[in-house]
Amino acid sequence: SECGFAHGEHEIGQPVPGALSSPVDLPRPSNPYMVSSFKAPVDATVLSTKRTICKYFLENDCHRGSECGFAHGEHEIGQPVPGALS
């Protein structure tokens, strides 16, 4: 009865037992670049640049094309992620 997964279509969209009622209940970090409960600072550059080759691109199966957040070749490593905050 405390499970967070639906056990049938009748439970889809129902509140999760013990979950917060709305996003307003969540604590907001004072610094948007601080993530996790450890509050480790994250360099915004890390979040806004391509650092890893796209595994789907390597399998010729990436459907995101130029909008992909991963590199489609070594030449894209370090390039900006489309739509990322810089």
Side-chain angles (χ1 to χ4, degrees):
S1 67
E2 293 296 317
C3 182
F5 293 95
H7 297 102
E9 289 193 28
H10 65 284
E11 289 185 359
I12 293 177
Q14 297 300 311
V16 176
L20 298 174
S21 60
S22 72
V24 178
D25 296 332
L26 297 174
R28 298 187 186 279
S30 58
N31 181 341
Y33 298 106
M34 304 285 270
V35 294
S36 85
S37 59
F38 297 107
K39 304 291 186 220
V42 174
D43 182 355
T45 307
V46 170
L47 299 177
S48 61
T49 58
K50 296 182 180 188
R51 301 181 306 134
T52 307
I53 300 288
C54 174
K55 73 176 189 174
Y56 298 105
F57 174 78
L58 294 174
E59 298 168 358
N60 293 317
D61 196 36
C62 182
H63 300 285
R64 300 197 67 204
S66 63
E67 294 301 309
C68 186
F70 295 92
H72 287 183
E74 293 287 333
H75 66 283
E76 289 190 6
I77 298 291
Q79 295 297 311
V81 172
L85 300 173
S86 53

